[in-house]
Amino acid sequence: MNISALQKERAKYQPKVPKSLTGAVRLVEGAKTESVADQAEIAKLFPNTYGMPLISFEAGEVKKDRQPLNVGVILSGGQAPGGHNVISGIFDGIKKLNSESKLYGFLGGPGGLVDHKYIELTAEIIDDYRNTGGFDIIGSGRTKLEEDWQYDKGLEIAKDLDLNSLVIIGGDDSNTNACVLAEYYAAKGEKLQVIGCPKTIDGDLKNEMIETSFGFDTATKVYSELIGNIQRDANSAKKYWHFIKLMGRSASHIGLECALKTQPNITLISEEVEEKQQTLDEVVTYMADIVAKRAENGDNFGVALIPEGLIEFIPEMKILISELNDLLAEGTDSEKEFKHLKKSHRVEWVSEHITPDSSKVLLSLPTGIANQLMLDRDPHGNVQVSLIETEKLLGEMVDTKLAEMKEAGQYVGKFGTQYHFFGYEGRCAAPSNFDADYCYSLGYTASVLISDGLTGYMSSVRNTTAPADEWIAGGVPVTMMMNMEKRHGHMKPVIQKALVELDGAPYKYFISKRGEWAFNTCFIYPGPIQYFGPTEVCDVTTETLKLEQAK
């Protein structure tokens, strides 16, 4: 593989880990735990892995004559910075326990387990990927492990390779799958352990025991550098409003963190919009009022951050999308009729076949966005919300609102827009020092959970605003984080997504400052991620974590 000068230097970086992981460790059992919700249902579904204790590690005496471990690893779902360091941590951990231990990587995600596609990950391979971004060491995929035949196929290759454990690196759905696998194998009396690691740049896999998901720190630093660059351009040219959509469909953690880092004029928080039951017009009016107020001071420029999934949190838009999904469901008579219409007639036709309230909302949208809602559909016939250009929707509607305000003498400025979407730019960046340390620690912790014969646990590293040697390594039972949700018409156990907490310290700090940031130019320009230099510059964690832990 081609290696840059930066990568050569990064390869020399030795990730910092908790003291408890630098030598041998012993288990310290916490109190028995129960699921946060739907306890009876979860206990019934997971009789072999429910109610297990929390685990933490501390330094202890070396255990002699440890047997070699054979471990399989899977990268599941979207990429996140630091995945290679999780794998490096697992590799180093099992090799330290016994140099004869082996690590196998299943290719292309969970599908590699089912299809028996794998490679042995040797030191020569691992060393090329230390402290690098991406998932290209073995690739990732989105195959869901949901059926018995898939579990049995996985068991076949596990027996062929004499695996002690599988480590699944992924988000909430992937770790839910890991827990289901662990229960399935335990119920059959199989020795195969399953351990999860928390990954997602969206930041929505978090709770008391999982303080942050890996990749969130790096991705938000990458986005914040880009936002800072745009803010500096806006403050230099002083003639454009930049509407920036940020990745994060289910929660607004990325938008909030980037706002705390860069102090833009407008940041929309989806959870707040839903909590206040705001209409699309109210959101647009809020933005237009800020644009108008800044124009009074001669500032015809600014920056607005918009979460990717915003429109699903606007109640009237959620209802509209639901009605469109029903009306245009694949194979229905209405869907067939819709397909035979001229494109120029489709909006009007749809507006006549949905409720009056939804019709009003549809007709208020810019034509291009209305067509996206009707035409960009997934294989199941549902609207592909992630493809909707929400930043352009809001930009065009703010422009229309400002024109109305100008006629009424309420706006005197000029409004020009530039549009951006930051998503893939942050998913495979070289991990920050925090993520390099955190991911390596998660992987090493997974190796210790495996060595102590545990299954159904997620690797956990806490106290992450302290120096890395003070972090608390351990494991949390995945069942502890589950509740029952309706998926595809059936109630299923899932790890609940963590949304922005409107009574949490990060959000409260944000709302205490956003008025000042809105009407004044308080931009911060973070610049690129720093890998080499003083600890206080290179090893800082997220603003979110610092505010949550008040450190």
Side-chain angles (χ1 to χ4, degrees), residues 46-250:
F46 297 91
N48 296 283
T49 52
Y50 179 81
M52 300 186 299
L54 293 170
I55 299 297
S56 60
F57 300 125
E58 61 183 31
E61 294 183 7
V62 177
K63 292 183 180 180
K64 304 287 186 180
D65 303 320
R66 293 222 184 186
Q67 293 298 309
L69 295 172
N70 292 333
V71 177
V73 64
I74 296 171
L75 292 167
S76 180
Q79 292 79 4
H84 290 158
N85 268 31
V86 178
I87 293 175
S88 300
I90 298 169
F91 181 84
D92 290 352
I94 63 173
K95 286 291 187 180
K96 185 164 187 178
L97 292 166
N98 189 305
S99 61
E100 298 300 313
S101 297
K102 292 183 179 181
L103 181 63
Y104 296 92
F106 288 97
L107 304 177
L113 177 70
V114 176
D115 298 332
H116 297 182
K117 295 180 179 178
Y118 65 91
I119 59 170
E120 182 180 349
L121 294 170
T122 62
E124 184 179 13
I125 295 172
I126 293 285
D127 288 347
D128 280 344
Y129 287 92
R130 293 180 186 271
N131 308 310
T132 62
F135 279 6
D136 45 310
I137 187 170
I138 53 175
S140 184
R142 296 186 181 275
T143 300
K144 290 188 181 297
L145 302 178
E146 298 180 309
E147 300 183 36
D148 288 357
W149 72 267
Q150 293 175 307
Y151 310 153
D152 292 336
K153 290 289 288 185
L155 189 58
E156 285 179 16
I157 190 62
K159 288 183 175 180
D160 287 347
L161 297 176
D162 195 25
L163 296 185
N164 301 88
S165 178
L166 279 174
V167 179
I168 297 180
I169 302 169
D172 52 300
D173 282 342
S174 300
N175 276 278
T176 296
N177 287 341
C179 189
V180 172
L181 268 180
E183 176 65 31
Y184 184 83
Y185 294 142
K188 292 181 69 111
E190 299 291 346
K191 71 169 188 175
L192 186 62
Q193 306 157 240
V194 186
I195 300 294
C197 282
K199 175 259 349 170
T200 173
I201 67 164
D202 291 353
D204 56 11
L205 176 49
K206 61 185 292 185
N207 50 56
E208 186 180 351
M209 298 301 297
I210 306 297
E211 293 178 350
T212 187
S213 52
F214 81 74
F216 179 74
D217 180 75
T218 306
T220 53
K221 283 174 178 170
V222 170
Y223 300 145
S224 294
E225 177 193 353
L226 296 172
I227 293 164
N229 294 347
I230 286 172
Q231 287 182 157
R232 189 137 240 165
D233 186 275
N235 202 14
S236 299
K238 301 187 186 300
K239 63 179 181 179
Y240 290 120
W241 268 89
H242 294 264
F243 281 52
I244 304 172
K245 183 171 73 172
L246 293 168
M247 189 168 273
R249 176 173 173 176
S250 298

Side-chain angles (χ1 to χ4, degrees), residues 200-511:
T200 173
I201 67 164
D202 291 353
D204 56 11
L205 176 49
K206 61 185 292 185
N207 50 56
E208 186 180 351
M209 298 301 297
I210 306 297
E211 293 178 350
T212 187
S213 52
F214 81 74
F216 179 74
D217 180 75
T218 306
T220 53
K221 283 174 178 170
V222 170
Y223 300 145
S224 294
E225 177 193 353
L226 296 172
I227 293 164
N229 294 347
I230 286 172
Q231 287 182 157
R232 189 137 240 165
D233 186 275
N235 202 14
S236 299
K238 301 187 186 300
K239 63 179 181 179
Y240 290 120
W241 268 89
H242 294 264
F243 281 52
I244 304 172
K245 183 171 73 172
L246 293 168
M247 189 168 273
R249 176 173 173 176
S250 298
S252 305
H253 296 292
I254 289 177
L256 178 57
E257 174 65 23
C258 290
L260 295 171
K261 279 182 162 69
T262 63
Q263 302 182 178
N265 307 107
I266 297 172
T267 302
L268 301 178
I269 303 296
S270 297
E271 292 86 342
E272 179 186 18
V273 170
E274 184 174 53
E275 173 76 15
K276 293 180 176 178
Q277 294 287 290
Q278 290 179 318
T279 65
L280 182 58
D281 183 65
E282 287 172 336
V283 173
V284 169
T285 299
Y286 165 74
M287 300 178 79
D289 285 344
I290 293 175
V291 173
K293 182 71 173 178
R294 284 181 61 79
E296 289 178 11
N297 298 328
D299 295 330
N300 291 297
F301 67 93
V303 171
L305 304 186
I306 301 155
E308 179 184 18
L310 175 71
I311 66 169
E312 287 190 291
F313 286 79
I314 299 174
E316 61 184 0
M317 290 296 294
K318 185 184 292 187
I319 293 170
L320 170 60
I321 289 169
S322 177
E323 291 185 19
L324 290 176
N325 287 341
D326 290 340
L327 178 67
L328 302 178
E330 188 174 3
T332 60
D333 291 340
S334 55
E335 188 248 1
K336 293 173 184 175
E337 184 176 351
F338 173 81
K339 283 186 174 181
H340 285 93
L341 293 171
K342 291 182 179 179
K343 289 184 179 180
S344 58
H345 295 166
R346 287 178 172 178
V347 172
E348 182 181 356
W349 181 88
V350 168
S351 71
E352 294 171 352
H353 288 77
I354 54 180
T355 62
D357 287 344
S358 290
S359 176
K360 183 178 178 181
V361 175
L362 180 66
L363 294 174
S364 73
L365 301 176
T367 303
I369 301 298
N371 282 325
Q372 284 181 2
L373 282 170
M374 294 183 296
L375 297 179
D376 290 332
R377 316 189 73 74
D378 66 19
H380 304 289
N382 296 323
V383 173
Q384 295 194 70
V385 176
S386 62
L387 298 181
I388 295 170
E389 296 173 304
T390 314
E391 70 279 22
K392 291 186 179 179
L393 162 66
L394 294 175
E396 291 182 30
M397 293 188 77
V398 167
D399 192 22
T400 300
K401 179 70 71 174
L402 290 171
E404 295 170 0
M405 293 171 66
K406 183 166 282 190
E407 279 192 23
Q410 300 170 337
Y411 172 59
V412 295
K414 296 180 180 178
F415 183 67
T417 52
Q418 296 289 335
Y419 299 110
H420 316 267
F421 173 36
F422 298 151
Y424 290 95
E425 294 85 347
R427 299 205 311 174
C428 287
S432 63
N433 285 4
F434 173 83
D435 267 331
D437 296 345
Y438 182 57
C439 291
Y440 187 84
S441 296
L442 285 172
Y444 209 114
T445 299
S447 75
V448 179
L449 292 168
I450 294 164
S451 72
D452 281 286
L454 298 170
T455 190
Y457 277 82
M458 189 185 298
S459 182
S460 168
V461 175
R462 294 176 289 134
N463 196 34
T464 50
T465 55
D469 64 353
E470 298 175 22
W471 290 353
I472 300 169
V476 55
V478 180
T479 54
M480 179 183 174
M481 297 178 277
M482 284 187 169
N483 67 347
M484 301 299 292
E485 289 184 11
K486 197 168 189 177
R487 297 283 181 91
H488 305 295
H490 302 284
M491 295 302 292
K492 290 189 175 183
V494 296
I495 297 173
Q496 189 172 17
K497 287 185 183 294
L499 303 182
V500 169
E501 294 182 0
L502 301 185
D503 59 352
Y507 175 76
K508 285 183 175 179
Y509 178 80
F510 164 70
I511 61 173

